[in-house]
Amino acid sequence: MANRDLQEAVQAEHAKVESILLQTILSVNNALDARDEYTCRHSERVSEYSAEMARRLGWSEKKVENLYNIALVHDIGKIGIPDALLLKRNALTEEEYEQIKKHVEIGSIILKDFTAIEKVSEGALYHHERFDGTGYAYGLIGEKIPIEARIIGIADAVDAMNSTRPYRERQTRDYIIYELKNGRGTQFDPMLVDVMLEMINDNILNPDFEPQNE
C-alpha cells in the first residue's frame, strides 16, 4: 500500500510539473502571437483545422487532442526570429529567408525535452517539409515526414493563404482551392489535400473562410 501511495504521489507530482510546463509553453506561444497582429490566433486556427482533419481520418480523440496541442506550438521557434524579419512588409532577401527558416530548428530545440505532448518537437521541426522532398529543414519525402507534421503543414498553409499578411492581402477561396489541388503530391500529401478540400466544401473551417469578391 505504501509503495502504491508513493507511486501515485510521484505520478501526481509529475503531472503537475508537466501541466506547469505546458502552460508556460502556451504562454510563450501567446506572446509570440501578440507580436504580430496579422498572425494573431494563427496557431489556434491551425490546431482547429489539424484536429478536424485527424477526426476525419478516424483518429482517436486522445490522438486528436495530442495533435491539437502539437499544432498550438508548431511555430514557437519564431520567438527566436527578430521582429524586423517577422513583420517585414516587403519581400525577404534570400539571406533573410534562410534566417526565417531556422525557426523550425529553434522550435525543435525549445521542445525537445518536453514530454507532456507526444511528438511535439516533430511538429515544430517538420511542418515545412514538402511531400516531394523539396521542403526544409531536412528534405524528407512522402511518408518519411511524420503524419502529424504533414497535417499541420497543410493546415498552416491554408490558414496563411486565408489571412492578410504584411506583404499581401488575404487570398480568395477559389485561389486557395486551386493552390491545394496544384500542390497535391508536391507540397502536400494527396490524401490530406482531399480531406482539406472536403472540409472547405463542408464550410466547417473558420467562420471567416468565405468567398471574397475580386
Side-chain angles (χ1 to χ4, degrees):
M1 184 64 70
N3 286 338
R4 179 186 296 177
D5 290 343
L6 177 61
Q7 185 178 10
E8 290 177 352
V10 169
Q11 289 175 342
E13 187 63 25
H14 180 73
K16 180 180 178 181
V17 170
E18 293 283 22
S19 177
I20 292 171
L21 287 172
L22 177 57
Q23 292 176 40
T24 301
I25 285 179
L26 293 179
S27 295
V28 170
N29 206 57
N30 288 338
L32 176 61
D33 276 352
R35 292 168 70 189
D36 183 4
E37 62 179 300
Y38 292 95
T39 59
C40 183
R41 290 196 66 246
H42 166 70
S43 294
E44 184 178 340
R45 291 191 299 268
V46 170
S47 293
E48 291 168 358
Y49 299 169
S50 296
E52 179 59 26
M53 292 180 74
R55 289 190 186 96
R56 290 179 177 234
L57 290 170
W59 290 24
S60 69
E61 276 305 309
K62 182 178 180 180
K63 287 185 65 178
V64 169
E65 181 180 357
N66 192 72
L67 176 62
Y68 183 94
N69 289 329
I70 293 173
L72 271 180
V73 294
H74 76 281
D75 267 343
I76 198 169
K78 287 184 177 177
I79 205 77
I81 304 299
D83 283 350
L85 294 185
L86 286 181
L87 307 181
K88 189 174 180 181
R89 294 182 176 273
N90 48 14
L92 296 170
T93 66
E94 184 174 338
E95 182 180 351
E96 288 170 337
Y97 182 55
E98 289 301 317
Q99 286 185 263
I100 290 284
K101 286 163 63 175
K102 291 178 181 177
H103 80 275
V104 298
E105 294 173 286
I106 295 171
S108 176
I109 291 169
I110 292 171
L111 299 169
K112 67 182 178 65
D113 295 322
F114 187 63
T115 60
I117 306 171
E118 292 182 18
K119 301 183 179 180
V120 67
S121 64
E122 292 184 4
L125 183 59
Y126 300 127
H127 70 277
H128 280 294
E129 299 288 353
R130 293 170 57 108
F131 202 71
D132 63 0
T134 62
Y136 64 89
Y138 296 102
L140 300 185
I141 298 176
E143 294 185 2
K144 290 185 178 180
I145 307 166
I147 183 63
E148 293 83 2
R150 278 180 273 152
I151 292 173
I152 293 169
I154 192 169
D156 181 64
V158 166
D159 188 67
M161 288 188 283
N162 193 45
S163 303
T164 296
R165 293 297 173 89
Y167 48 86
R168 62 146 176 83
E169 293 298 313
R170 173 185 173 199
Q171 305 292 349
T172 66
R173 181 190 184 101
D174 286 346
Y175 177 90
I176 294 169
I177 290 171
Y178 170 81
E179 285 298 305
L180 285 170
K181 292 180 177 178
N182 192 52
R184 182 195 302 270
T186 53
Q187 182 172 356
F188 308 120
D189 183 331
M191 172 186 67
L192 299 181
V193 170
D194 291 340
V195 175
M196 180 57 76
L197 289 173
E198 180 183 83
M199 288 166 58
I200 293 173
N201 186 61
D202 290 345
N203 290 315
I204 65 165
L205 297 184
N206 187 278
D208 292 334
F209 197 100
E210 297 291 346
Q212 300 174 53
N213 295 326
E214 293 290 337

